Amino acid sequence: MMTTLNLLKLSVILSFLATALFAQTGGERIRLAGTVVADNMTGLSYRVRGCITSISKEATNTGSAAVNQELIKLDDRVAKMAVATAVARVKDLEAEVGDSEFSITTVHAEIIRVQEEQDFVKREFERTRLLFQRGLVNETTLEAAARRKMEASFALERIQEDLQRALSGKSRAKIALDIGVLELNARQSDLEEFTIHAPFRGVLLNFNPKVGDCVSQGALAAQIYKPNDKSVETFAFMNNLVDANQFGLTIGNPVKVIRVNGESCPGKISLVGTEANLETQSVKVRIKLDPNCAVEMFLNEGVKIDLTPNAR
């Protein structure tokens, strides 16, 4: 952090000297100084606390990572047991749903049987009633047939109630299964928290974990950035920004970034700050580097910036 602050202070001083040179030479071109920074630097943090059990040797040796590459793994034995328990619970709940469906099928079959029996009892009652009207059977026989008819109706009502209970049981079993699946998803998500993967292909910074170290939740494990996604940060004084077009300090204006070895990399101004530093009266300027040459440049590398007035 102190190194970056010192480089920014140096940038301001060089910018001041460049402005003085511009005033002496008549003002066709000015040169600023800046430092290379990574765009969209992403922090990789531990999402749970635990102890490190494995580290990617490839990432450690090369300092880079591929997309979705496993970088660090914490002790996840308890989380794996929780997932296994949730899986077993889901299987048990699935079996309960299957049992409830079988119960419904059984009740439907029983309803058909009871309805057939009821139809038979109704026909028997009608025959008995006709025989009673003709005086072929006595009243006791008719009452027995009526009682069987009534019992058949009651049996049908009871079995229909059983069907409603079976359907309700199936609904409860499905709800329990849905809850079990959600619980399984939660446990699987918890298990994934024990592993840190690279979100994209990039270069790792501050990646120095050790097997056996125990870490806390939220602690920074590393940082990662894309090597071709870099910018240069510099500062311009207010007298350069009063007439930004004259000095080439406008967004989208092409510039040339020069390294210490003389190599140059094209870029474009992507940001001109809207707030000046109270003490130095300077404004941050950010230059987006061409991806083709940004790969070769180092973070915090000091560079010079050639601005061309009215280059747009």
Side-chain angles (χ1 to χ4, degrees), residues 47-58:
R47 291 171 287 183
V48 294
R49 64 179 182 178
C51 299
I52 300 174
T53 57
S54 66
I55 301 169
S56 171
K57 292 183 179 179
E58 181 181 357

Side-chain angles (χ1 to χ4, degrees), residues 235-246:
F235 290 85
F237 285 100
M238 291 303 301
N239 57 346
N240 296 135
L241 294 170
V242 172
D243 191 353
N245 288 323
Q246 178 184 356

Side-chain angles (χ1 to χ4, degrees), residues 118 121-122 125-126 144-154:
Q118 186 186 44
V121 171
K122 284 181 178 180
F125 173 78
E126 291 299 327
R147 185 169 55 254
R148 288 194 296 271
K149 177 183 176 183
M150 183 174 58
E151 290 175 350
S153 298
F154 289 159

Side-chain angles (χ1 to χ4, degrees), residues 76-87:
D76 59 358
R77 289 174 295 178
V78 175
K80 284 182 177 179
M81 287 190 291
V83 170
T85 302
V87 169

Side-chain angles (χ1 to χ4, degrees), residues 210-228:
K210 296 180 181 179
V211 174
D213 284 355
C214 295
V215 298
S216 59
Q217 183 180 11
L220 185 65
Q223 292 174 295
I224 187 171
Y225 69 93
K226 295 180 180 179
N228 62 346

Side-chain angles (χ1 to χ4, degrees), residues 32-52:
L32 303 177
T35 54
V36 178
V37 297
D39 290 335
N40 301 318
M41 179 78 75
T42 302
L44 303 177
S45 301
Y46 297 102
R47 291 171 287 183
V48 294
R49 64 179 182 178
C51 299
I52 300 174

Side-chain angles (χ1 to χ4, degrees), residues 1-2 12 21 29-30 39 87 96-97 100 113 175 197 239 256 271 301 305:
M1 181 67 184
M2 291 299 298
V12 172
L21 177 62
R29 181 187 296 266
I30 64 172
D39 290 335
V87 169
E96 290 185 9
V97 172
S100 64
R113 187 190 66 78
I175 292 173
H197 293 87
N239 57 346
K256 183 167 66 172
L271 170 70
E301 177 181 349
I305 306 159

